[in-house]
Each structure stands twice: as C-alpha cells, then as structure tokens.
Amino acid sequence: GNSVTQMEGPVTLSEEAFLTINCTYTATGYPSLFWYVQYPGEGLQLLLKATKADDKGSNKGFEATYRKETTSFHLEKGSVQVSDSAVYFCALSALIYNQGGKLIFGQGTELSVKP
Amino acid sequence: DTAVSQTPKYLVTQMGNDKSIKCEQNLGHDTMYWYKQDSKKFLKIMFSYNNKELIINETVPNRFSPKSPDKAHLNLHINSLELGDSAVYFCASSQGQGPITDTQYFGPGTRLTVL
C-alpha cells in the first residue's frame, strides 16, 4: 500500500541553524510528493511539491528533492527562523482507480526554533 | 477573503448528540474533502466530493454523513457523537478531482470536543 514515514519530533533548533526533516515513502506507481506546513492554530498550507523523480521543490528557503532510488523527499532549509516554528507534514498523492487523487500524510514533525 | 472557511471553529458537546460542521470555499474548485486530525496530529482523509458527487469514502462509521448542497459547500453531519470523535476536522478543496498535481487548500479547522 501507500504510506509516508517522517522523522519523529519535536525538533528544536536555534535560529540560523540548518534544518533537515527526513521523509520516506512507499507507493505503487509514480506519486507526487508534497510538504505541507501547519502553523499553530491554523490549517495546512502547501509549502512545496515535486511531481516526478529528481524534481526539486522549493519555497521560502525550503527545498526538497524527489529521490526515487531512495524513495525519499527530505525537507531542508539552510537557516531557520523563529517564524518557521510549525508542524511539517510530508505527503504523497496516490492516484486511486475510480477515486481520483488522494493525499496520504506522514505523522507530522513539530519544529521549534529558539531565538 | 477566506478561501476555505469552516464553522464553527470550536465545538464542545455531549456524547450521543448530533452536530454539523459547515465548510465553504470561494475558489471555484470542483473537489472538496474532509480530513480528521487526531490528538497526535495524524491526518487522515475521510471523504471527498467532486461536483457534489461522493468520490472517496474511507471506512468512516456511517454516523458521519457528508452533504454537498452545491460544489462550493461540503458539510459534515455526525450522529450519536462518541468520545473518540474528538479531533480537529479540516475541510479542503482542489481544482480537479484528482490530477495528482492538484494543490489542496485547507480550511482553519474545527476542534470538536466530545464530553
């Protein structure tokens, strides 16, 4: 079946530190991969996405590369800010026969950035 | 100009009651979704509708009944509420039914607490 596994949180970093949040997936076929972010008390927002192998998604200084050989989509940022504190969700979109696309989420990784 | 809105934001009720959560999107999207986020932040899809037609129904108890009066609205009615229904419920919408590159836009969530 289709599934997503993320590194467990919480992750606590100092401002300007380098961030990596690991994400690996299991999927049949060729899914698209996403990172969503949930700020405290809010809904999810799309952070970035990649639709095929070797694609790199990027937004707001965050990057992730779709690695088919390692079935991974790790999220990175060179220098985090306090405002990046949030829960980050890795997800894949699986195309299900007769159901269209369906987002399958990882368990979320909470990031806390201290000044 | 909220793109996806939900009401109410908070809902506290007793076991056995029936309650509804409303969702509206003003993006002109064709597809709408309901997700449940449990206390550990795990997100799982419950339903999706495309142009008022049910597309995805994920083994959700039949106490949960989605209703789509038009393609801009997808309401969630829950009968005979149980303690385990306590969660945050998110509505989302996307342009298409399931092209795997479609971005889903999420509402702010409804925190349901069953006492």
Side-chain angles (χ1 to χ4, degrees):
Chain A
N2 299 304
S3 66
V4 177
T5 303
Q6 293 177 231
M7 65 186 280
E8 287 208 21
V11 173
T12 303
L13 295 173
S14 298
E15 213 165 17
E16 299 183 3
F18 184 86
L19 168 71
T20 301
I21 301 179
N22 290 338
C23 170
T24 57
Y25 68 91
T26 302
T28 51
Y30 303 96
S32 286
L33 300 173
F34 305 81
W35 277 99
Y36 278 83
V37 58
Q38 184 179 24
Y39 296 104
E42 298 184 13
L44 278 73
Q45 303 172 25
L46 179 68
L47 182 58
L48 52 85
K49 66 183 184 184
T51 59
K52 62 183 188 299
D54 300 326
D55 266 5
K56 178 187 279 190
S58 60
N59 185 25
K60 299 181 182 179
F62 290 90
E63 291 184 341
T65 301
Y66 188 150
R67 301 274 187 215
K68 191 164 180 289
E69 63 277 10
T70 54
T71 61
S72 65
F73 193 55
H74 304 322
L75 182 69
E76 295 181 337
K77 187 175 185 184
S79 175
V80 294
Q81 305 301 313
V82 172
S83 57
D84 293 327
S85 298
V87 181
Y88 292 81
F89 292 90
C90 185
L92 68 82
S93 181
L95 200 56
I96 309 294
Y97 173 72
N98 220 27
Q99 290 189 345
K102 182 165 87 168
L103 273 179
I104 295 165
F105 287 92
Q107 69 270 38
T109 302
E110 183 177 357
L111 170 66
S112 177
V113 181
K114 307 295 184 191
Chain B
D1 283 6
T2 306
V4 182
S5 59
Q6 296 178 226
T7 53
K9 191 167 171 65
Y10 299 97
L11 184 53
V12 181
T13 188
Q14 301 286 332
M15 276 175 57
N17 284 351
D18 303 338
K19 290 292 179 186
S20 291
I21 307 172
K22 296 188 176 181
C23 177
E24 176 180 3
Q25 54 95 2
N26 62 8
L27 298 167
H29 286 168
D30 291 334
T31 308
M32 296 184 72
Y33 311 79
W34 277 109
Y35 288 85
K36 179 180 180 181
Q37 185 176 46
D38 64 22
S39 58
K40 295 184 178 171
K41 301 281 189 187
F42 185 67
L43 263 167
K44 194 167 189 306
I45 190 166
M46 300 172 69
F47 302 102
S48 77
Y49 269 72
N50 178 261
N51 277 319
K52 304 195 297 175
E53 182 184 345
L54 180 66
I55 301 298
I56 294 175
N57 182 344
E58 285 283 300
T59 57
V60 176
N62 58 15
R63 298 182 296 104
F64 291 78
S65 51
K67 293 231 173 10
S68 183
D70 56 60
K71 75 173 194 177
H73 295 85
L74 180 63
N75 303 323
L76 183 65
H77 188 75
I78 315 170
N79 289 328
S80 302
L81 278 155
E82 300 177 357
L83 292 176
D85 298 332
S86 295
V88 181
Y89 292 84
F90 287 100
C91 178
S93 72
S94 65
Q95 179 58 50
Q97 176 180 338
I100 57 177
T101 56
D102 268 1
T103 297
Q104 293 188 21
Y105 294 83
F106 283 75
T110 296
R111 182 175 293 278
L112 171 65
T113 303
V114 182
L115 304 175

